[in-house]
Amino acid sequence: MLILNKTAGVFSKPPKRKVYEFLRSFNIYPGTLFLHKLVLGIETSCDDTAAAVVDETGNVLGEAMHSQTEVHLKTGGIIPPVAQQLHRENIQRIVQEALSVSRISPSELSAIATTIKPGLALSLGVGLTFSLQLVDQLKKPFIPIHHMEAHALTIRLTNNVEFPFLVLLISGGHCLLALVRGVSDFLLLGKSLDIAPGDMLDKVARRLSLIRHPECSTMSGGKAIEHLAKQGNRFHFDIKPPMQRAKNCDFSFSGLQHAIDKTIMQKEKEEGIEKGQILCSAADIAAAVQHTTACHLAKRTHRAILFCKQRNLLPQSNAVLVVSGGVASNLYIRKALEIVTNATQCTLLCPPPRLCTDNGIMIAWNGIERLRAGLGILHNVEGIRYEPKCPLGVDISKEVGEAAIKVPRLKMKI
Ligand code: KG4
Ligand code: ZN
């Protein structure tokens, strides 16, 4: 299969730029004189086909993305073979678009970085197969990327953040707390024992039939919950945060989901409506579930900060907490986390929303970080496989639980 057709015009160079491009082929930039690394990043781990070209100073030269959200909203969740087919249909166009927007020739790339773990097997396979063909065609080094590592390091593209820092990654597919000590040096402090918060919010939104709500029909579940919660009163429902007795940094969201399912069923009976119709109390339920989710995330994060400070893993003051992933765009949850960082003299940082969700930029940037650190750059890709499941870093969550740190109560006045 032909991947890049250099004669098709997309990558042909306009004559007036010839001298400039010639100089750049020697890494010489008119007006400046420094070495520039350029990485193409490719992301297909879930339901977004994304690509970007980023340079070593964090400049995004080009970016393109095809989101499958609308298709999956209609089917009520991601159907892996459908996601795979959509990735196949779009990957070449998306990579070509990112490259042509960046106005570089593929020969100028220093490396190609692609998410190979963790994620949906069928989706990861499309990105990896495509990338390996490209690597072979262009004779470039390959940098395999861990999707969660990329989420965690994104903040270093937008902010001047030094290691170590704490990261909370919350999305539809992930939920973890980790200490980031270096580009590829992570301590896993806690993770969800069942589903991720975004998955739970998506399920609750589906159960509330928010797709039929005129204000929410095009929103993801989590966004719809946040939107509706603004109109609701969380005090109408008392939903307890999960795992209150477990003094660790793990999370759980499926119990919460079932508790809300029961509440919805009861309310349907009370309001005399059928499953599939929208409850009068939907906004109150959304407000309650959002609040409970925020409190649960805040409590575990608070414990992680205290643990890291107790073990001198983080500085005593001005430590950084980074929150990323699709759920991090929720402003209510951010405020809850801000209460925690204020109480612990930490700084809360979130990448901008478009970099919180899956994107190609974070993969390209992770490639740059790895190039600079000289870590995991492959010149021979033989035997490289994708890994649907792959933990991040060294798991010390048991040790965190054994420390059994009691977390002082904070008023969650949001
Ligand atoms: O990072 P992301 O785009 O994809 C992965 O899951 O990897 O995150 C998507 C998730 C979905 O579950 C979506 O419902 C949730 O992030 N989400 C939100 C908000 N916007 C997106 N959750 C809460 N509040 C939001 N504003
Ligand atoms: Zn993600």
Side-chain angles (χ1 to χ4, degrees):
M1 185 187 70
L2 183 68
I3 305 161
L4 289 180
N5 183 356
K6 288 186 187 173
T7 58
V10 181
F11 303 117
S12 62
K13 300 165 194 170
K16 62 178 176 182
R17 299 181 68 227
K18 270 209 161 135
V19 174
Y20 183 65
E21 308 249 311
F22 176 76
L23 288 173
R24 287 212 304 187
S25 69
F26 294 97
N27 284 326
I28 298 167
Y29 284 66
T32 54
L33 247 185
F34 42 64
L35 299 174
H36 255 300
K37 292 185 171 74
L38 293 171
V39 171
L40 167 69
I42 300 176
E43 158 66 33
T44 64
S45 69
C46 190
D47 60 345
D48 291 314
T49 316
V53 178
V54 174
D55 77 6
E56 66 184 305
T57 63
N59 278 328
V60 178
L61 279 74
E63 186 198 2
M65 147 99 87
H66 176 264
S67 167
Q68 305 176 359
T69 307
E70 245 177 73
V71 176
H72 299 311
L73 263 177
K74 282 190 195 124
T75 51
I78 298 171
I79 300 168
V82 174
Q84 179 189 40
Q85 184 55 27
L86 290 170
H87 282 307
R88 278 189 182 143
E89 285 169 15
N90 290 289
I91 191 159
Q92 177 158 352
R93 176 178 63 82
I94 290 300
V95 170
Q96 280 192 341
E97 204 178 310
L99 283 166
S100 58
V101 171
S102 70
R103 301 179 65 118
I104 63 149
S105 148
S107 64
E108 292 178 79
L109 290 169
S110 314
I112 294 164
T114 302
T115 308
I116 67 150
K117 59 194 175 185
L120 297 173
L122 295 179
S123 296
L124 288 168
V126 178
L128 180 57
T129 305
F130 182 89
S131 302
L132 292 185
Q133 285 172 327
L134 201 55
V135 159
D136 183 52
Q137 191 176 339
L138 298 172
K139 305 282 175 262
K140 296 288 175 187
F142 182 58
I143 308 179
I145 300 293
H146 190 299
H147 182 81
M148 308 309 294
E149 179 180 305
H151 269 306
L153 297 179
T154 304
I155 198 70
R156 283 164 51 84
L157 179 146
T158 56
N159 297 59
N160 192 8
V161 177
E162 299 286 333
F163 301 119
F165 59 90
L166 193 63
V167 70
L168 171 68
L169 296 177
I170 40 177
S171 72
H174 356 283
C175 180
L176 63 84
L177 263 166
L179 183 73
V180 190
R181 300 194 299 187
V183 171
S184 170
D185 182 3
F186 289 74
L187 294 181
L188 185 67
L189 306 168
K191 60 183 183 310
S192 175
L193 303 178
D194 39 62
I195 59 175
D199 191 11
M200 182 272 294
L201 294 173
D202 290 341
K203 286 183 167 126
V204 171
R206 265 206 300 282
R207 185 62 186 80
L208 286 169
S209 305
L210 297 189
I211 193 146
R212 295 195 181 172
H213 194 291
E215 291 166 25
C216 308
S217 59
T218 58
M219 293 178 185
S220 68
K223 199 168 166 56
I225 296 278
E226 181 177 26
H227 179 79
L228 216 57
K230 289 185 191 131
Q231 305 160 26
N233 183 342
R234 70 174 174 87
F235 294 103
H236 286 183
F237 295 95
D238 182 24
I239 303 165
K240 295 261 174 294
M243 302 180 75
Q244 278 176 300
R245 288 208 191 132
K247 290 195 178 57
N248 54 32
C249 290
D250 288 331
F251 304 85
S252 167
F253 292 95
S254 63
L256 187 56
Q257 186 217 324
H258 291 122
I260 291 157
D261 261 4
K262 265 170 86 181
T263 306
I264 294 172
M265 222 151 42
Q266 197 182 328
K267 274 282 148 192
E268 282 170 346
K269 264 192 208 152
E270 275 174 41
E271 293 185 20
I273 67 161
E274 300 270 306
K275 190 174 173 178
Q277 291 176 292
I278 296 175
L279 285 167
C280 293
S281 48
D284 296 337
I285 294 173
V289 68
Q290 179 176 253
H291 181 76
T292 309
T293 303
C295 291
H296 183 45
L297 292 169
K299 186 92 170 184
R300 317 319 272 185
T301 306
H302 194 168
R303 179 170 289 116
I305 293 172
L306 297 179
F307 175 85
C308 289
K309 287 195 178 187
Q310 193 188 71
R311 304 283 161 111
N312 279 324
L313 294 167
L314 277 177
Q316 296 303 318
S317 61
N318 292 326
V320 171
L321 168 68
V322 173
V323 186
S324 193
V327 180
S329 51
N330 184 298
L331 296 182
Y332 191 93
I333 290 172
R334 279 197 202 187
K335 279 193 194 146
L337 292 165
E338 215 167 64
I339 292 174
V340 171
T341 48
N342 287 341
T344 50
Q345 291 85 50
C346 292
T347 306
L348 175 67
L349 294 177
C350 300
R354 75 186 182 99
L355 294 182
C356 272
T357 53
D358 292 352
N359 62 82
I361 297 171
M362 69 180 194
I363 307 304
W365 175 248
N366 199 159
I368 292 280
E369 289 264 35
R370 281 185 164 267
L371 265 185
R372 290 199 304 209
L375 289 166
I377 306 147
L378 306 184
H379 296 275
N380 177 356
V381 292
E382 217 173 287
I384 189 98
R385 303 262 183 281
Y386 60 80
E387 295 172 55
K389 282 199 174 13
C390 182
L392 180 71
V394 179
D395 187 346
I396 61 159
S397 55
K398 205 163 160 254
E399 199 181 321
V400 175
E402 281 162 6
I405 294 176
K406 209 164 176 269
V407 176
R409 245 185 127 77
L410 293 178
K411 256 214 161 99
M412 283 297 160
K413 249 184 126 185
I414 304 168

